[in-house]
Amino acid sequence: MWQPKCLILVAVSLSVLACTAAGDGGGRSLVTAVTKDATTSLYTIPVKSGRPLVLDLSGPIVWSTCDDGAPHDTLECNNIDCMCAHRFHPPSCPHTGYGMPDVHNPYRCKCTPHPHNSVSGDTASGDMTRVALSANATDGMNPLGPVSFTAVTSCAPDTLLQGLPVGAVGVAGLARSSLAFPAQVAGTQGVANSFALCLSSSPGNGVAIFGGGPLFVLGQPISEMLGSNTHLRKYKDSPGYYIMASKGITMDGVQILPGEHAPLTIGLSTTTPYTELRSDVYRPFINVFDQAMECWGAAALRVPFPAASPFELCYNNSKLPQKRFGFFVLRISLMLDGGTSWPVFGMNSVVRLNRGTPCLAFVEMKAGNKAGYGDGAAPAVVIGSFQMENMLLVIDEEKQTLGFTTGQHLNNGLSCGHFNFTMPA
Ligand SMILES: *[C@@H]1O[C@H](CO)[C@@H](O)[C@H](O)[C@H]1NC(C)=O
Ligand SMILES: *[C@@H]1O[C@H](CO)[C@@H](O)[C@H](O)[C@H]1NC(C)=O
Ligand SMILES: *[C@@H]1O[C@H](CO)[C@@H](O)[C@H](O)[C@H]1NC(C)=O
């Protein structure tokens, strides 16, 4: 396992630094395909010379392996980007200085941020450098031609790729930071610091658009079908995205939580395959779902969960009714701030692993889980990627809002896999 190397060199208060980016200079948004890796259930975008980086909603920087054979520039410690990169501390990595002495030049301090792999939980150190990234400009309907731009990224050792899809060379952090991928697109392209994510459940491609603007699938503007939006919240020191369910969680309209749990803090994670519920939330959640299924006469449908399944409630496939939006089960809703709700239909609540037994796709959060949350200090819910598939999510950094579709586009037969990646002649 890679040990964090965190050297104490410089100590500057960072509270005065605003590590945020502003954009919207009338440029063009960028589009990329978002590919789901079947083995890891992670999503990648092919932005480093066609090589994939893993999407991480809670990652504050972009990092990738640097070619050892080829020389690269390293930013100096007093560079503002270096200070921003050090503003966010990976779990278990102590607050330290910004770099280490350059062996080639005793008067120079090399910037060495701490790239973090939120899948394995590992952290490393690497040189902060600049690399060319690329994607296509878009009008929201088609790719319009490649655009290359220079981004500030961290190098990382090959060992930090553990747990990522084969072929992936690093991570594109999407979190709240001027060094995250969306902010660097905004800064270099003169577009809004806003992005839309449409994860596909099937092996085909979903789509991401960086810089705001419309998103069309099959000629239909699904960005106009954003039914709801809610305020993004901050949670402790995390650069990730959080929302608040002030009215808790309901199942088929019946409130099951909060009681003493209100309001619930909910995180969003593309490196967590299935939604994790903190133990005190998980138990009532599972119990109410189970009892309600029993009332539906579904108790007889319960089957023992398959070996190695992370899930607790599984059902007989031949008896669980299927509808257009997946298995016909109770509708789970997260009752968010501002009176909006995030409905979770069967296609996002029940999963069939390897075409096997359908199971309720929610898991219990482990104490001190890999995201670095200690006991009791964790958010109540971390929404995983399975629950975000086939929705359009729009994160607007400037307005600090999360917009999402609630199934209208599915009614019209539109899915995240339908973006037209053909370049017009
Ligand atoms: C741009 O889009 C074309 C057509 O879909 C694709 O072949 C190409 O790889 C894309 N380029 C980049 C840099 O993503
Ligand atoms: C599921 O139900 C069918 C039809 O009643 C039955 O034949 C089968 O054994 C059940 N499967 C399991 C795993 O219980
Ligand atoms: C995809 O876009 C291309 C280029 O604009 C167009 O010729 C083609 O008809 C579109 N395909 C679909 C299915 O809309």
Side-chain angles (χ1 to χ4, degrees):
M1 182 146 137
W2 190 263
Q3 292 301 316
K5 276 189 246 144
C6 302
L7 302 183
I8 300 173
L9 279 177
V10 196
V12 174
S13 164
L14 288 173
S15 55
V16 293
L17 290 178
C19 293
T20 52
D24 213 355
R28 276 227 191 100
S29 298
L30 301 184
V31 67
T32 74
V34 177
T35 305
K36 182 177 183 177
D37 177 63
T39 312
T40 58
S41 295
L42 295 168
Y43 301 83
T44 62
I45 55 174
V47 293
K48 196 183 173 195
S49 308
R51 286 180 295 171
L53 299 181
V54 173
L55 291 180
D56 182 358
L57 274 175
S58 55
I61 62 173
V62 179
W63 63 261
S64 67
T65 49
C66 289
D67 185 356
D68 286 334
H72 58 258
D73 280 346
T74 304
L75 269 58
E76 293 196 32
C77 293
N78 58 8
N79 186 297
I80 183 132
D81 287 330
C82 187
M83 298 185 185
C84 284
H86 279 84
R87 177 135 181 248
F88 302 103
H89 292 269
S92 76
C93 182
H95 284 246
T96 62
Y98 299 137
M100 53 173 71
D102 188 341
V103 285
H104 302 297
N105 179 350
Y107 300 108
R108 191 173 182 268
C109 166
K110 291 197 309 174
C111 181
T112 55
H114 304 302
H116 177 68
N117 176 333
S118 43
V119 178
S120 65
D122 290 347
T123 302
S125 290
D127 292 346
M128 184 125 231
T129 186
R130 292 189 176 92
V131 303
L133 299 179
S134 57
N136 271 292
T138 187
D139 55 2
M141 283 197 203
N142 295 95
L144 298 177
V147 171
S148 182
F149 61 96
T150 302
V152 175
T153 66
S154 175
C155 294
D158 288 350
T159 47
L160 198 63
L161 298 174
Q162 202 196 329
L164 303 186
V166 173
V169 293
V171 166
L174 301 178
R176 265 187 300 113
S177 143
S178 61
L179 294 176
F181 188 82
Q184 296 209 54
V185 172
T188 58
Q189 307 303 304
V191 291
N193 190 1
S194 160
F195 63 96
L197 206 54
C198 207
L199 303 177
S200 178
S201 54
S202 43
N205 286 332
V207 58
I209 290 186
F210 298 92
L215 171 59
F216 290 79
V217 296
L218 297 178
Q220 307 259 347
I222 62 168
S223 44
E224 284 177 12
M225 299 174 194
L226 284 178
S228 309
N229 73 64
T230 190
H231 278 290
L232 290 169
R233 304 288 178 151
K234 296 206 165 103
Y235 183 74
K236 303 192 174 166
D237 292 337
S238 171
Y241 299 106
Y242 295 85
I243 53 178
M244 192 77 85
S246 40
K247 301 244 168 60
I249 300 175
T250 63
M251 281 186 193
D252 271 0
V254 177
Q255 188 162 29
I256 58 155
L257 285 161
E260 73 274 25
H261 306 273
L264 305 176
T265 297
I266 299 176
L268 303 170
S269 172
T270 47
T271 55
T272 301
Y274 302 101
T275 295
E276 295 183 352
L277 305 173
R278 204 174 54 207
S279 302
D280 57 313
V281 174
Y282 178 79
R283 195 41 57 198
F285 182 90
I286 288 287
N287 289 348
V288 172
F289 191 90
D290 193 30
Q291 280 160 21
M293 290 294 279
E294 215 166 299
C295 298
W296 282 22
L301 308 183
R302 273 276 291 283
V303 292
F305 55 87
S309 166
F311 309 118
E312 195 172 327
L313 296 179
C314 298
Y315 298 92
N316 186 326
N317 182 45
S318 60
K319 291 189 186 164
L320 205 59
Q322 286 240 38
K323 289 270 151 91
R324 191 163 184 173
F325 290 176
F327 287 103
F328 188 61
V329 293
L330 306 189
R331 188 173 74 188
I332 299 160
S333 296
L334 307 172
M335 309 305 286
L336 304 176
D337 269 7
T340 60
S341 73
W342 176 321
V344 185
F345 299 103
M347 65 161 52
N348 295 108
S349 63
V350 175
V351 67
R352 281 181 73 191
L353 291 180
N354 305 318
R355 309 197 148 273
T357 312
C359 300
L360 181 63
F362 289 79
V363 299
E364 184 169 5
M365 200 179 285
K366 302 273 182 297
N369 75 350
K370 61 186 180 340
Y373 306 120
D375 291 276
V381 178
V382 173
I383 297 183
S385 47
F386 181 74
Q387 276 74 26
M388 293 190 255
E389 285 177 350
N390 278 318
M391 299 177 79
L392 175 66
L393 297 175
V394 176
I395 289 187
D396 188 324
E397 287 272 12
E398 282 149 36
K399 297 197 190 112
Q400 284 296 306
T401 54
L402 166 74
F404 52 92
T405 53
T406 53
Q408 307 94 311
H409 61 298
L410 297 169
N411 257 330
N412 301 335
L414 308 174
S415 87
C416 292
H418 287 144
F419 186 80
N420 187 342
F421 279 104
T422 307
M423 204 130 29

